[in-house]
Amino acid sequence: MRREDLRRLFARARELCGETDYVVFGSLAVLGYAGEVPPRMAASLDVDAFSKSDPGRIFDLAPALGQGSPFEAEFGYYLDPISPRVATLPAEWPDRLIRIQLEPDLAAWFLEPNDAAVSKYARMEPRDREWIRPGLQAEVLSIAILDGRFARTPFLDAHEASRARKALEEDRRWLRAKRARKR
């Protein structure tokens, strides 16, 4: 997936509902990152997003742009409408959104990659680790930043917090071992 793909999707969304600003969560939030992104991090076909000024409005777009839609049939990817409350995120995440102008009157706001990683650690499905580890290895993500964000994350419950912290520790050890082998 590329930013151009998001431009196409959000331009169509704008035509349908008039919204001009969209917030991207999930794996594709990494497309807001300024540096080079490992291909695995941008491999998703579903764009987890909501409209910035009226988040609930995004759900109206599912028939035209969502999974199984004519848009997906034509382009091979689709909008996955979400609520901004769907993910476990660190405090002040909205202050770190990365704004990218896609067209003169169209912008995408991307969840900062380390904030996206916190939400993935909280969920910790197998595909989340497939996104996190290439990010750590390429230094798109930072263990030090993640440590700070974890300290300011209101996890859903003790189980979610414990699972996330355990996974972060596993990745810390994995990254050390990878770096030690390179020396």
Side-chain angles (χ1 to χ4, degrees), residues 85-106:
R85 295 182 301 277
V86 72
T88 297
L89 292 166
E92 292 135 12
W93 66 265
D95 299 338
R96 291 185 293 273
L97 287 173
I98 301 163
R99 184 178 188 277
I100 303 289
Q101 195 74 35
L102 301 173
E103 290 184 0
D105 64 342
L106 185 65

Side-chain angles (χ1 to χ4, degrees), residues 116-133 150 159-160 162-171:
V118 169
S119 74
K120 289 182 173 298
Y121 277 115
R123 185 174 69 173
M124 201 33 63
E125 291 180 358
R127 64 185 174 162
D128 293 326
R129 176 123 318 127
E130 294 170 11
W131 185 88
I132 291 168
R133 286 189 171 179
F150 266 55
H159 176 72
E160 182 183 73
S162 174
R163 181 181 64 232
R165 286 186 176 94
K166 180 180 180 233
L168 179 61
E169 284 309 310
E170 289 169 358
D171 285 350

Side-chain angles (χ1 to χ4, degrees), residues 27-178:
S27 298
L28 295 177
V30 76
L31 294 177
Y33 181 71
E36 192 167 328
V37 173
R40 178 62 191 100
M41 292 184 83
S44 183
L45 298 178
D46 61 314
V47 180
D48 299 326
F50 57 89
S51 46
K52 193 167 190 304
S53 67
D54 185 3
R57 193 161 193 197
I58 198 77
F59 294 97
D60 297 337
L61 300 175
L65 303 176
Q67 189 170 22
S69 69
F71 185 90
E72 181 189 18
E74 183 176 353
F75 297 106
Y77 60 96
Y78 61 93
L79 174 70
D80 187 5
I82 61 164
S83 163
R85 295 182 301 277
V86 72
T88 297
L89 292 166
E92 292 135 12
W93 66 265
D95 299 338
R96 291 185 293 273
L97 287 173
I98 301 163
R99 184 178 188 277
I100 303 289
Q101 195 74 35
L102 301 173
E103 290 184 0
D105 64 342
L106 185 65
W109 298 73
F110 297 87
L111 190 61
E112 194 277 330
N114 289 286
D115 288 337
V118 169
S119 74
K120 289 182 173 298
Y121 277 115
R123 185 174 69 173
M124 201 33 63
E125 291 180 358
R127 64 185 174 162
D128 293 326
R129 176 123 318 127
E130 294 170 11
W131 185 88
I132 291 168
R133 286 189 171 179
L136 289 170
Q137 198 167 2
E139 298 181 354
V140 172
L141 304 175
S142 161
I143 292 285
I145 292 172
L146 289 166
D147 284 336
R149 303 273 169 89
F150 266 55
R152 296 189 327 272
T153 298
F155 288 98
L156 180 64
D157 56 28
H159 176 72
E160 182 183 73
S162 174
R163 181 181 64 232
R165 286 186 176 94
K166 180 180 180 233
L168 179 61
E169 284 309 310
E170 289 169 358
D171 285 350
R172 185 187 318 272
R173 288 191 301 274
W174 171 86
L175 188 59
R176 275 192 207 123
K178 275 276 204 205

Side-chain angles (χ1 to χ4, degrees), residues 5-22:
D5 298 317
L6 295 181
R7 188 209 56 77
R8 180 183 298 116
L9 175 67
F10 294 142
R12 185 79 55 92
R14 179 190 57 207
E15 290 170 14
L16 294 170
C17 74
E19 295 287 335
T20 59
D21 289 75
Y22 296 88

